[in-house]
């Protein structure tokens, strides 16, 4: 792997997402900003270098708000970004904070109209009595301008914090999920949504689990899944009933009684769920592992990958510093043959599903030099430490990679390490 770009952002990155073609990469941060990077085409002078990603557009998506009825501050942090498939020259994306989802149009302008009848060239209105002839405005070339304009605002539908948005395969609807409810929206309708899942009990004291993530199936527009803080996944079919309180399939791995501890429930909570591109599998991330499930087999996952099993002995201190509640995301490569997820100490892990080999890599300043090669890292759990290994006791838990994204076609990955974005790509010989 070789680094093509390391970009310093002013604030902590809270989401990373490639668009459907991989030409654009969007990041959202805690300051409510969205930064879009564009893939530059290969240079004829330097054909050995693949195109880099450079800043294409930056805009303020969300502002801090205050809910006066509940005396609550609503922070501007972008929780999720989801691209819509491109239909014309413009690009569209959905971005959300805790309460409000916005649909943005990203468009280019390289021409402007000149020669208006009622206005001067500087925009001032002309005296109507001095207009003696009719002019036909003409389009003149100008420097390329990228404009981001909000086209829809979907608000006031969630009592709790939105944790997921997912665009449906019909490209007309999308779902949004908070701790207790999932809503279905039409992209053209902002004043109402349909509540399709509601797990809120009549008495909140009886609440035993919350929704942690939700996603639409990539090909079947009637199917979606949602995960819970109890480590379970429910697959629902919207054809069965308007309110999907009764799931079609229930995925859960029985717990090994011998490994049960005080932390078992916390670490079994699922922080992310993602369908494979084929739609045959789904992947879930809990605190210590990534699991791959076959949609036709509910009783156990077909693959389990340990992300940082060496932290099992550290759960007590991770609970005390609140790291045990970190929500790590996971992603598939374009062919579903490999998966990636983050860890601590700016490490991220890759697992090859065919060979079952795995690798630990580090996103750091040392590896951010152009054409630098990433070296595999290893963590030693005790006893003698080899030269290249890092001790589990010297891991930095403040450096964490929660958000990663994989290019839909190429071996290009984006990794968010706190307030730095790293983009790595396969080395070209």
């Amino acid at each position: 792997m070789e680094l093509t770009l390391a970009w310093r952002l002013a604030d902590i990155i809270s989401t990373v997402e490639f668009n459907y073609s991989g030409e654009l990469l969007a990041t959202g941060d805690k300051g409510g900003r969205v930064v879009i990077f564009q893939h530059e085409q290969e240079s004829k002078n330097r054909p050995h270098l693949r195109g880099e990603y450079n800043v294409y557009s930056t805009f303020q998506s969300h502002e801090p708000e205050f809910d006066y009825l509940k005396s609550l501050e609503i922070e501007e942090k972008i929780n999720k970004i989801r691209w819509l498939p491109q239909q014309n020259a413009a690009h569209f994306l959905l971005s959300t904070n805790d309460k409000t989802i916005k649909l943005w149009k990203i468009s280019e302008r390289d021409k402007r109209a000149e020669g208006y009848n009622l206005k001067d060239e500087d925009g001032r209105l002309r005296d109507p009595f001095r207009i003696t002839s009719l002019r036909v405005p003409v389009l003149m070339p100008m420097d390329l301008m990228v404009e981001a304009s909000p086209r829809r605002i979907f608000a006031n539908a969630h009592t709790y914090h939105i944790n997921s948005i997912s665009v449906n395969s019909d490209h007309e609807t999308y779902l949004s999920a908070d701790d207790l409810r999932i809503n279905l929206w039409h992209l053209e309708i902002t004043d109402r949504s349909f509540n399709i899942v509601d797990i809120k009990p009549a008495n909140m004291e009886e609440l035993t689990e919350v929704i942690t993530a939700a996603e639409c199936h990539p090909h079947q527009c009637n199917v979606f899944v949602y995960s819970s803080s109890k480590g379970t996944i429910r697959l629902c079919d919207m054809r069965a009933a308007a309110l999907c309180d009764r799931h079609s399939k229930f995925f859960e791995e029985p717990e090994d009684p011998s490994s049960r501890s005080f932390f078992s429930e916390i670490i079994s909570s699922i922080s992310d769920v993602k369908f494979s591109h084929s739609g045959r599998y789904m992947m879930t991330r809990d605190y210590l592992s990534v699991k791959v499930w076959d949609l036709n087999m509910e009783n156990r996952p077909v693959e389990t990958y340990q992300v940082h099993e060496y932290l099992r002995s550290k759960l007590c201190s991770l609970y005390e510093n609140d790291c045990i509640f970190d929500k790590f995301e996971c992603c598939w490569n374009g062919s579903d043959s490999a998966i990636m997820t983050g860890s601590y100490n700016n490490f991220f892990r890759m697992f090859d599903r065919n060979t079952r080999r795995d690798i630990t890599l580090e996103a750091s300043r040392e590896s951010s030099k152009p054409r630098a090669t990433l070296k595999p890292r290893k963590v030693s759990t005790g006893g003698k430490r080899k030269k290249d290994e890092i001790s589990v006791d010297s891991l930095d838990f403040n450096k964490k990679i929660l958000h990663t994204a994989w290019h839909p076609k190429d071996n290009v990955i984006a990794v968010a390490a706190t307030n730095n974005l790293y983009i790595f790509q396969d080395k070209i010989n």
Side-chain angles (χ1 to χ4, degrees), residues 261-274:
S261 73
F262 169 77
F263 305 108
S264 293
E265 278 192 28
I266 302 172
I267 62 172
S268 66
S269 175
I270 293 170
S271 54
D272 197 17
V273 58
K274 292 270 170 63

Side-chain angles (χ1 to χ4, degrees), residues 68-185:
Y68 292 97
L69 287 173
K70 295 180 181 163
S71 293
L72 273 179
E73 281 186 36
I74 301 165
E75 62 177 1
E76 64 272 38
K77 175 191 162 203
I78 309 293
N79 291 343
K80 284 284 185 290
I81 289 172
R82 289 290 179 265
W83 291 91
L84 273 62
Q86 192 175 1
Q87 310 284 357
N88 51 38
H91 297 273
F92 289 85
L93 63 82
L94 290 165
S95 64
T96 184
N97 67 350
D98 286 341
K99 299 289 180 188
T100 305
I101 305 156
K102 295 183 181 182
L103 174 67
W104 290 90
K105 178 184 180 182
I106 320 296
S107 53
E108 293 182 355
R109 231 168 27 126
D110 60 358
K111 291 182 176 67
R112 68 165 178 265
E114 287 184 2
Y116 288 108
N117 290 287
L118 301 177
K119 289 180 184 175
D120 287 327
E121 298 309 325
D122 57 3
R124 285 183 299 188
L125 285 171
R126 297 169 68 191
D127 183 351
F129 297 107
R130 293 188 178 178
I131 300 172
T132 56
S133 61
L134 184 67
R135 290 194 292 180
V136 178
V138 291
L139 288 174
M140 300 295 288
M142 58 176 270
D143 290 339
L144 179 69
M145 223 170 83
V146 181
E147 293 179 319
S149 50
R151 302 312 297 264
R152 308 260 188 283
I153 296 177
F154 307 88
N156 306 319
H158 285 277
T159 309
Y160 307 97
H161 293 176
I162 298 170
N163 57 46
S164 302
I165 48 175
S166 180
V167 180
N168 210 338
S169 59
D170 60 12
H171 304 153
E172 290 183 358
T173 57
Y174 74 93
L175 59 81
S176 60
D178 66 24
D179 293 342
L180 299 179
R181 295 190 179 101
I182 301 175
N183 293 332
L184 183 70
W185 300 83

Side-chain angles (χ1 to χ4, degrees), residues 258-298:
S258 64
S259 65
R260 181 157 182 82
S261 73
F262 169 77
F263 305 108
S264 293
E265 278 192 28
I266 302 172
I267 62 172
S268 66
S269 175
I270 293 170
S271 54
D272 197 17
V273 58
K274 292 270 170 63
F275 279 110
S276 64
H277 295 87
S278 67
R280 165 85 187 269
Y281 301 97
M282 66 178 173
M283 166 172 53
T284 59
R285 170 73 209 258
D286 56 45
Y287 190 66
L288 292 178
S289 64
V290 174
K291 293 170 183 170
V292 175
W293 303 77
D294 188 317
L295 293 192
N296 300 317
M297 193 166 91
E298 299 168 59

Side-chain angles (χ1 to χ4, degrees), residues 296-426:
N296 300 317
M297 193 166 91
E298 299 168 59
N299 60 338
R300 61 185 173 83
V302 288
E303 298 160 31
T304 300
Y305 302 98
Q306 302 302 333
V307 177
H308 38 216
E309 184 63 20
Y310 48 78
L311 293 183
R312 195 175 286 276
S313 62
K314 302 281 177 193
L315 292 177
C316 194
S317 56
L318 289 162
Y319 178 77
E320 287 169 359
N321 64 16
D322 280 350
C323 284
I324 202 169
F325 302 107
D326 284 335
K327 293 175 169 55
F328 290 95
E329 294 172 8
C330 51
C331 60
W332 301 85
N333 72 341
S335 62
D336 298 333
S337 62
I339 55 184
M340 173 173 62
T341 191
S343 180
Y344 293 104
N345 209 66
N346 278 1
F347 288 171
F348 58 99
R349 304 266 284 137
M350 287 180 164
F351 303 94
D352 188 312
R353 296 182 61 213
N354 298 323
T355 63
R356 293 301 176 99
R357 288 169 62 186
D358 62 88
I359 190 169
T360 302
L361 299 167
E362 182 182 8
S364 67
R365 291 296 176 86
E366 287 70 42
S367 60
S368 66
K369 293 165 186 146
R371 303 191 65 72
T373 303
L374 283 174
K375 295 185 180 71
R377 302 301 306 265
K378 280 210 168 75
V379 178
S380 77
T381 51
K384 272 197 165 181
R385 187 160 57 91
K386 291 179 187 167
K387 184 186 168 190
D388 295 335
E389 289 183 340
I390 182 168
S391 164
V392 69
D393 295 317
S394 56
L395 294 173
D396 188 341
F397 294 110
N398 292 317
K399 292 180 177 176
K400 55 190 87 169
I401 290 176
L402 302 176
H403 315 286
T404 58
W406 207 312
H407 191 289
K409 300 185 183 84
D410 300 333
N411 266 338
V412 177
I413 59 168
V415 173
T418 318
N419 57 351
N420 291 297
L421 176 69
Y422 296 90
I423 299 177
F424 301 98
Q425 68 175 33
D426 255 356

